[in-house]
Every structure is written in C-alpha cells, then in structure tokens.
Amino acid sequence: MARFLIVLMTFCLMIFCSAQNQNQEDLSGAETLDKSKISPESILNQSIEKLEQPISEEEKYEVRMKMADAYLKIKKPDFAKSTEMLFKAKEIAEKLDNTKLKAKIYGSIANQYSFLNFPDKIKPYLDLSKQQVDKLSNGYEKNFLTARLYIEYGNLEADKENFLVAKKDYQKALKFLGNIGNPNKKNIFQFRRAFYNMGVSYAYLKQNDSAEYFLNKALAIRDTENKEFKYFIYNTLAKVYIDKYENQRAIDSLETVLKEDAFKDNRLKSDMYKKLIASYKALNNKEKYIEYSEKLLELEPDVKDNNLKAINTAVSEEQKNLLEKISDKESYNQLLIFGCLLLIFVGGVSVFYINQKRKKEKLIYQNFISNLETKDTVEIAEQEPEVLVQEEKEKIAFSVPSSAETMILEKLEKFEASNKFTNSKLSVASLAVMFKTNPSYLSETIKKHKEKNFNNYINELRINYICKQILERPEFLNYKISYLAEEAGFSSHSSFTTVFKSITGISPSAFLREAEKKHKNI
C-alpha cells in the first residue's frame, strides 16, 4: 500500500496543475498564456509585474493561479510557494463571494492537501467545493466540476484501500464527463485521469488485464498540455507488469521515462527507483540492483525536505485564516484576555520544561563525552531517530572470502584514522573503489564487524570526529552549525542535526552550549 500512496499523492500534483490550467482558460480569455511557448520562469516574472499594476480582484485571482501552476513547473519545483499562491487565490474568491471561483479553488486546495498527504484536510475542502458546485446551474461547468469531485472522492476511498468503492466513484466521474461530450482542450485531462484512476483501482484489485486496458486507454489520449502525465501512467503500468512477473517489461517502461530530459519529478522518480530495484533483484542483476539503490539513497532526502516545506506553508496559511476569522468576532476582547492568561501559564510551564530539558541534556552530554574519550559510543536507548540519513536498502546476502574480509578490515582501520569519511560525496560504491573491492563485500564486512550498515557507520565516524573537534579546539564553539555540518561531511544542515541528535542524544546547539560551559570552567 505504501507504493500506492506515493503514486496517488504524486498524481494529485498533476490533478492540481490541471485544475489551475482550467481556471486560467475560463477566466483569462485572450490573455491566457500559452505555457507550451512561455517558460514557467517567464510566467512568474510577468505575473509579479502584473500584480504591481492596478488590476481587478478577478485578475489577481487569475494571476495567483498561474503562479501556483508555474511554481510547480520551474526547474526546481517550489511546492511551498505554490501552496502559498493557492491560499492567496482562496482569499480573493471568498472576498468576491464568487460561487464558481470558490468551487474551483476549494477543489484545488483539496488536491494540494492530497499531494501533501493530509487526509483529514482533503474531504472538508471537497465538501466545500461540492456545496458551491451544487449551486451552479445545469450545464457544462456543473458536469465538469462534478466529475472532478467524484474523482477526488474516489481517491479518498482508494487511499483507504476501498478500491471497489473508488472504482464506482471513477465510473460516476466518467458518466458526468460523458454528459459533456467528446474530449476537448478544456476537459481532456479529466477524461485521461478518470481512465488512469480506473486502471489504478483494477491494479490494486489484482485485475491486471483490466488495469492494463484502462491504463493504455489513458495513454492513448493525446494531451499536448500535460505531456508529463504519461510518466505516471508508465509508472503504474510497470506495477502491473511486476505483478504479472513481467519484470523486463517493467524495467523497459521505467528506464524509457528516466532517460527523458523533461522528466524532473523527484517523488515519482523515487517510486520508479524502488520498482527498478525490485525488478532487478527478481532478475538477480546485482550490478543494476546496487546502482538504483545508490540513486534512491541520494534522492530521497531532497524529496522529504521539499514535502516538509510545502506542509509547513499549508499549515501556516490555515492558521493565518483562522486568526483572521477570530479577529472579526465580537468576542475578540474576551479571547484576547484568555489568550494572555494562557500565554502566561504556557510561559511558566515552558520555563520549567526548559530547565528540566537543560539538566537532561547536560547529563546526556557528560555521558557521551565520557564514552567518546574511551572510544565506546553508546546508543541512546530512549530515543529513536526520526529521520536518519537514508539507510541502505536490504541487499542480497553475499559470502565474503576471508582474505577479502581481512584486507577490508585493515583498510577500514586506516580509513578511520585518515578522516576521509568527511568527504560529503562518499558512498559505499566510491569507498569500494578506493579499497579495490566490490560494494557488496564492503557492505557485508561493515555490517558483520561494525554491527551497523554503511550509512550509520559513516555517520557515527563523522559525528565523533566533529565532537572531538569541538572539545579540543575552542574556536569551533564560534562556528555556525551549517559550517560544522560541512566540516563533518554532511551535505545539509538538517540531515546533520538529525543524525547528530540520534547519535549523541542532544542537538548540536545543546552540545555546543554544554561544551562552552566546560571550556569556561577550565
């Protein structure tokens, strides 16, 4: 089910983009930009300039929707900014009290929450959208938006693994699309995604022939506006092929997509890597299995970081809207007094909590230093790391010849003394080349003798190294955490902080604070 959720969430991004494209066609008329000819960067620049001009609220809504779409299509998609633009468009639609605009923006926000995997937020916005759609007069617009809603309700059921119910919702969506007539430029994407979702439902009902039929039907529809949608179809077809034990067909489909320069979606790429790893493992191709395992390890931290930024933006916008509504109520003064009292109480509790936390951090620091000095790093039993540097995927067990094992252990001893582990580009493959052995032998030897996998082994060496630098060289106390991360060999501030806490038990800032106290007492 985990793989399905990844596909479903990522696919919602495409739905969301399509919803925005539809809004632009409906509202902008002759001024709608042809995105096949204008780059998303140019659209953003033009939109920013237009917002500085005296334009109507309807035009501002249109511009915000264009920007939300463009932020997803720039070279490095900015999901946080895209989310921010959606909520700004929502403010305008509600200010205008425009039924049509509210129906669309609520649906688009539901799609965005689906992409961010906020299931509790999806249905409320879909219901808000349906309330507005029901107010519309019968005709094209009502049929079109109703079809979209049934697709989204189907996605919610699919997310709960109710695939039979989901399939019925998708069939209803196709019925309303049929009321419109044949696919055209405005609705072709909705036809295509309805066929696609039918195929996904059949795939998870293990009815692979029906799944392949509907997926190929979606693939056959020509849509020049959303060319990237074919990547999602190929990805789901690969799942169908894997379930039919046709692993080579799955590999051919996925690698065809990965070779395309236009393919930039890291979330979908991550899911494709996982399917390739499974397929190559089934075919016993160890070289390709290791190659795609390495690619997945490099890719996934960036995917998680991008998701986190978008989620934070969505939550911030929701809180902002809530505060604005509270300020409009007559009970504002009472709420303010209550809020002040609550802040005082929370402040007192926070001070007590911080003092207790500091005492605990001091004790953890002292224990860690004691073990570091005896070269016996303890594991913090009471804490489980939230997000570690990506662990190696389970690999095929290999028997390491004793001569090779002895050679690797000798080289590991020299490697640990050389500080070469601070190279941020170090991987099991590159270290294997340095040792003149293969990655499998190296990985198995580390697991056997160091009792941890390669990533945890390197992370522990890096953290112990930077801790010793802080303790032995007072100037390190003045360095920023980002510099310490780079010095230790981490590619990002966030990954360094997470790994540091998982190994030492406290955050880098807490460690620096305790180290500074120790230096002052010397």
Side-chain angles (χ1 to χ4, degrees), residues 284-338:
N284 201 29
N285 188 326
K286 299 173 186 176
E287 182 180 348
K288 286 290 186 179
Y289 172 87
I290 292 172
E291 177 186 336
Y292 282 106
S293 294
E294 290 285 342
K295 288 182 177 181
L296 180 64
L297 291 173
E298 293 174 2
L299 183 66
E300 287 202 328
D302 177 64
V303 171
K304 291 182 178 179
D305 182 59
N306 220 332
N307 270 349
L308 183 60
K309 289 179 181 177
I311 289 171
N312 287 338
T313 299
V315 171
S316 297
E317 292 295 337
E318 287 281 6
Q319 291 173 339
K320 177 184 174 184
N321 289 342
L322 179 60
L323 290 173
E324 289 174 350
K325 289 178 182 178
I326 290 174
S327 67
D328 291 337
K329 294 183 181 293
E330 294 179 356
S331 59
Y332 173 77
N333 289 334
Q334 294 178 351
L335 287 172
L336 184 61
I337 293 171
F338 175 78

Side-chain angles (χ1 to χ4, degrees), residues 150 154 163-173 198 201:
Y150 274 117
F163 298 112
L164 283 173
V165 178
K167 181 165 67 71
K168 291 179 181 178
D169 283 329
Y170 299 143
Q171 288 171 334
K172 290 178 182 177
M198 286 285 287
S201 295

Side-chain angles (χ1 to χ4, degrees), residues 19 96 122 128-129 151 155 269 286 456 463 465-466 499 519:
L96 294 172
I122 301 169
L128 285 172
S129 180
I151 291 175
N155 287 346
K269 190 178 292 184
K286 299 173 186 176
N456 288 341
I463 297 302
Y465 164 80
I466 203 64
V499 174
H519 278 290

